Amino acid sequence: MTTKNALVVRGGWDGHQPIQATDLFIPHLEAHGYEIRIEESPKVYADAEYMATVDLVMQCMTMSTIEKDEFEGLRTAVENGTGLAGWHGGIADSYRNTSDYLHLIGGQFACHPGKHPDERTGEQSDNYVPYTVTMLPAAGNHPITEGLKDFDLVTEQYWVLADDYIDVLATTTQKVRPWDPWHREVTSPAIWTREWGAGRIFVCTPGHRVEVLEDPNVRTIIERGLLWASR
C-alpha cells in the first residue's frame, strides 16, 4: 500500500472536543495507509514545501484566527490537489477574521437555533434540537453517501450561509417555531463537497461532540468524506 500524508490541524474552541474528535478518525486514516502529522495551529499551512507533500488536511479548528501567509498556504495546497475535510465548526466556523477562507469553504455557520427560551439552562444542550438530515438525489450514487437514507439527530442544527458553487449531498430544514422571528422554513446544506483547482473539499455540519460523531450515519459519512477529499 502506498503511504499517503494526512495533516491533522486541531484546536480552537474546546467545546467541540478537537482532540477527542480527531482522534476518533485517525485510526481510520492509518488503516488506509496514511502517515499522520498533528498540529495545534494553522501555522503549518505557511510551510509551502511541506504542504506540497500533504494529500489530506483534516481540520478541526473552531473559530480562532489565521494569518495571511497561513491561509494562502492552505489555499495554494488545495488548488494544487491537497484535500481539505472536516465537520461542524471545525471547518465551517473557522477563522472568522478571513473572508477568503469562507470563500474557499463555500458555507459558513450562522447560528444554531435552540430550545424554547424557558427551557434553556445556560448549557450547550440549550441548542440541542431534533432534526432530520435529508439526502438529496445526488447522494444516491455519490461515494460519500451511497446507500444511506435520511436520518435523525438531536444536536446542534446548523443554519448555514452558502453559495451555489457547493455540491450539496444532504440538507436540513429549520422549522418555524412560535418563538422564532423568521416566518418560513429555512433549508441549509448539511453535507457538501466543493472542487477548488485540483483539490477537493468536504464538509459535514453534524459533529458537535464525539457522541454525535459516533452516530453510525455521521461517522460513515465523515470516514468516506475524508477519503473522497484526499489527493
Side-chain angles (χ1 to χ4, degrees):
M1 183 183 292
T2 303
T3 300
K4 293 190 172 187
N5 293 317
L7 170 64
V8 178
V9 176
R10 63 191 188 185
W13 184 59
D14 285 340
H16 284 158
Q17 300 177 300
I19 294 174
Q20 300 95 316
T22 50
D23 281 352
L24 193 64
F25 295 101
I26 287 173
H28 169 70
L29 293 175
E30 290 174 332
H32 283 83
Y34 288 82
E35 288 190 356
I36 310 296
R37 173 174 171 177
I38 299 173
E39 295 290 336
E40 309 294 335
S41 86
K43 287 184 173 62
V44 65
Y45 293 153
D47 184 345
E49 184 176 356
Y50 168 68
M51 289 300 294
T53 73
V54 176
D55 297 295
L56 173 68
V57 175
M58 178 171 71
Q59 180 182 277
C60 186
M61 181 71 67
T62 304
M63 295 180 282
S64 192
T65 58
I66 193 168
E67 298 301 321
K68 186 172 186 289
D69 60 336
E70 296 163 2
F71 167 72
E72 290 178 349
L74 173 62
R75 182 173 59 187
T76 297
V78 173
E79 289 176 356
N80 290 333
T82 298
L84 175 58
W87 54 87
H88 204 61
I91 191 167
D93 190 22
S94 311
Y95 318 132
R96 296 177 184 177
N97 67 314
T98 302
S99 62
D100 284 341
Y101 173 82
L102 311 182
H103 183 223
L104 178 67
I105 300 303
Q108 165 67 21
F109 162 77
C111 68
H112 38 50
K115 297 175 181 176
H116 188 284
D118 292 344
E119 298 177 3
R120 299 175 190 175
T121 63
E123 302 296 325
Q124 290 183 33
S125 57
D126 288 352
N127 297 314
Y128 298 175
V129 297
Y131 69 92
T132 300
V133 176
T134 303
M135 295 293 162
L136 299 186
N141 59 2
H142 195 286
I144 296 176
T145 45
E146 186 175 8
L148 299 179
K149 308 292 186 185
D150 299 354
F151 60 96
D152 297 324
L153 296 170
V154 180
T155 182
E156 291 184 347
Q157 182 181 18
Y158 264 24
W159 182 320
V160 172
L161 308 179
D163 65 37
D164 67 1
Y165 186 62
I166 61 175
D167 297 314
V168 183
L169 297 174
T171 61
T172 178
T173 297
Q174 175 64 54
K175 305 297 184 181
V176 181
R177 290 112 22 121
W179 62 92
D180 291 324
W182 49 92
H183 304 289
R184 62 177 184 267
E185 293 182 350
V186 179
T187 298
S188 293
I191 302 160
W192 73 84
T193 64
R194 189 172 179 90
E195 298 194 17
W196 201 260
R200 290 174 165 184
I201 298 166
F202 159 75
V203 179
C204 175
T205 66
H208 175 65
R209 292 175 65 83
V210 167
E211 55 267 27
V212 180
L213 296 169
E214 289 176 333
D215 174 274
N217 293 292
V218 175
R219 186 164 187 163
T220 295
I221 288 164
I222 292 174
E223 287 179 346
R224 291 177 179 179
L226 292 169
L227 300 181
W228 177 87
S230 179
R231 188 193 309 274

